Amino acid sequence: MFNQDNDMHKRTLMFFVIVSVLLIGYTVINQIINPPTGKVENKTNQSQVVKQESNNQSSPKQKNPQQITYSQSGSYDLLLNNERFKADDFKDIVEIKTSYGTVKISRIGARIISIYMDKYKTDSISKVAKENKIFPTEIITTNPKLTALINFSKYDFKQEGNKYIFTLKKDGISITKEFILNPDETISYKLNYSGLNNVGIAVINGITPDPEKSAFGHIGSLIKTDKDLIKIDADIKTTQIIRGNIIWAGEENKYFLQALANKSGFSTTYVIPIAKETTVTLSEIKGNLDGFFFGGPKLYSLLGQIEDKYKKAWGKDLSLRNTIDFGIFGILGKPLFLVLHFIYSFIHNWALAIIILTVILRIILFPLNHKSLKAMKRMADLAPEIKKLQKKYKDDPQKLQAEMMKLYAEHGANPMSGCLPIIAQIPIFIALYNVLLVTVELKNVPFLWIPDLSQQDPYYILPILMGLSMVAQQWITPSSDKNQKIIMYVMAAVFTFLFMSFPAGLVLYWLTNNILGVFQSFIINKSMNKEGKKA
């Protein structure tokens, strides 16, 4: 027997099922596309690069390491071998305290070996870099002997005010590296050299940062040209070469960025895989280098500050803010983040900013929500009439459908209008999901019992409260079918388990949205009941 009301419920159920599948699938597919790399696995991969060289170059019978000799290769050899591993024991370093943490520069090779950020309890220089002793600001040449000499020799050091100057004069070459640590977390970097004739010279822009717990967002190399921001994933198998007017290049994960920029730019950048899901980005230079290195968080305001600084100084648009990946709904995600950031600038509390943003979104969607709830109330009121029609025209489906459409039209009811607010909220939900996953602003930000709003609630209190709020919302929301309410209660349980793995900030948004929905439903029910009594 044709049953328009049951058909509507089936479509509603199917819609919620599809939403759930999409949300679950979005998370699962994202994990498949960008699988998280555990710390233990990293250590295994990192060790392989060094151990393979060690096994080739030493044996139990040898008391001294085998002498390594090199010949002109014509390509950039990173020298990931035993010589590199033994060259630096990290005991002769210059340690510099800053407002944001500690920077360490080794006198062996005058290389930046650590940028520890106190706020995030994270080192910008990855474990794979430290274990294989390859670092940003290194000089790589097409002559392996010169590369070894430049990076594995001890530099003289002196400090002149805020300048940290490292010099090497050996075997006919002269290298001077000058570092200045700036308040915006950039490190001004000048490289002057002589005696490096007839060889190609490149500098290391960055090494893939350690992966975060969540695999969302790009991890790998970045190359900013005068036209595009090119992203190359860290899981490549062969060297990638990019040519053009390159402003800066580096490596990133979803929260942190390593970037080396040169005032005169680079002509060629190489992205070289060195281990599983780990690449080294290096750029060829012509003449001396005058630029900066940044190894820090992708804070929207901080990146904007750096952009403005060098747009005035160099007349170039670095587009550093474009490294923040707001996902497939970036057209919504970025405005949502900007509003969130604006609210935070006044109240200085990210959790409260999320709650206020939710209230704003609820106000924007109020007309849709209001219309939907009124339509659902009308449908609930029409339930007795619909049952009468179903009984009367049980043998004539076409007549039943015509009479039901007539009944809906007379009372201004629309069976599908209840879905409109949900449809409108899906892109907002996914956009906000992306925002809370990729914005480092929320990393390590506590709220009540929650230590980090960018991670899941460790005690699952917020997801449980959210599930209860969905039950309350369904209980107070008018429905023409008890079975539909049961289905929605089941959906509340499904969403509770689903949200247990979501960032606490996102669950806070959904919980707040549900609570506001409960109040709105209560007000609408009360007002429509009064209208019904007057009529």
Side-chain angles (χ1 to χ4, degrees), residues 241-312:
I241 303 174
I242 297 88
R243 293 185 173 89
N245 186 11
I246 298 165
I247 302 172
W248 61 265
E251 298 267 349
E252 70 166 352
N253 63 18
K254 68 173 184 176
Y255 285 147
F256 301 103
L257 171 68
Q258 295 177 17
L260 179 61
N262 188 16
K263 186 176 182 179
S264 58
F266 307 106
S267 59
T268 307
T269 293
Y270 301 82
V271 183
I272 305 171
I274 63 169
K276 184 180 179 181
E277 298 184 0
T278 304
T279 56
V280 171
T281 299
L282 71 152
S283 297
E284 208 165 48
I285 58 174
K286 306 295 183 183
N288 296 325
L289 183 147
D290 182 4
F292 72 88
F293 176 75
F294 176 75
K298 293 196 283 187
L299 291 166
Y300 192 83
S301 57
L302 178 62
L303 297 181
Q305 183 182 345
I306 298 170
E307 284 179 0
D308 294 341
K309 173 182 174 180
Y310 286 96
K311 192 167 188 179
K312 292 177 182 178

Side-chain angles (χ1 to χ4, degrees), residues 87-101:
D88 195 349
D89 57 7
F90 301 143
K91 291 182 179 179
D92 198 351
I93 62 174
V94 177
E95 184 173 313
I96 310 161
K97 296 291 184 180
T98 69
S99 59
Y100 54 87

Side-chain angles (χ1 to χ4, degrees), residues 126-146:
S126 66
K127 290 182 179 179
V128 68
K130 292 179 179 179
E131 294 194 9
N132 290 291
K133 301 184 178 181
I134 182 168
F135 301 102
T137 67
E138 276 192 24
I139 302 170
I140 307 296
T141 75
T142 52
N143 184 318
K145 287 184 179 180
L146 281 176

Side-chain angles (χ1 to χ4, degrees), residues 198-402:
N198 303 318
V199 293
I201 303 170
V203 289
I204 293 181
N205 303 79
I207 300 95
T208 307
D210 294 323
E212 296 293 325
K213 292 180 181 179
S214 166
F216 186 87
H218 176 252
I219 179 168
S221 181
L222 290 169
I223 301 95
K224 175 65 177 75
T225 70
D226 56 345
K227 297 179 180 179
D228 302 302
L229 178 62
I230 301 168
K231 296 186 177 185
I232 299 176
D233 294 338
D235 60 355
I236 59 172
K237 305 300 180 184
T238 58
T239 298
Q240 306 294 306
I241 303 174
I242 297 88
R243 293 185 173 89
N245 186 11
I246 298 165
I247 302 172
W248 61 265
E251 298 267 349
E252 70 166 352
N253 63 18
K254 68 173 184 176
Y255 285 147
F256 301 103
L257 171 68
Q258 295 177 17
L260 179 61
N262 188 16
K263 186 176 182 179
S264 58
F266 307 106
S267 59
T268 307
T269 293
Y270 301 82
V271 183
I272 305 171
I274 63 169
K276 184 180 179 181
E277 298 184 0
T278 304
T279 56
V280 171
T281 299
L282 71 152
S283 297
E284 208 165 48
I285 58 174
K286 306 295 183 183
N288 296 325
L289 183 147
D290 182 4
F292 72 88
F293 176 75
F294 176 75
K298 293 196 283 187
L299 291 166
Y300 192 83
S301 57
L302 178 62
L303 297 181
Q305 183 182 345
I306 298 170
E307 284 179 0
D308 294 341
K309 173 182 174 180
Y310 286 96
K311 192 167 188 179
K312 292 177 182 178
W314 294 357
K316 295 181 179 180
D317 182 11
L318 301 182
S319 299
L320 293 172
R321 283 176 166 173
N322 291 343
T323 62
I324 303 173
D325 184 5
F326 290 107
I328 57 174
F329 286 102
I331 193 170
L332 286 173
K334 188 173 181 179
L336 283 174
F337 171 76
L338 292 177
V339 174
L340 189 66
H341 197 277
F342 177 77
I343 296 169
Y344 173 80
S345 66
F346 286 96
I347 62 175
H348 303 290
N349 185 301
W350 284 109
L352 290 179
I354 291 172
I355 293 172
I356 293 172
L357 175 63
T358 309
V359 174
I360 293 172
L361 290 175
R362 193 77 195 186
I363 292 172
I364 293 172
L365 294 173
F366 179 83
L368 277 177
N369 286 317
H370 188 76
K371 184 178 180 181
S372 169
L373 290 170
K374 289 183 73 172
M376 293 173 73
K377 174 66 175 173
R378 290 193 184 100
M379 289 296 296
D381 293 340
L382 290 176
E385 297 297 324
I386 293 172
K387 287 182 179 179
K388 289 179 182 179
L389 291 174
Q390 290 171 347
K391 186 176 181 180
K392 183 176 181 180
Y393 299 105
K394 62 180 179 179
D395 297 325
D396 190 351
Q398 292 183 351
K399 181 66 174 176
L400 173 62
Q401 184 179 19

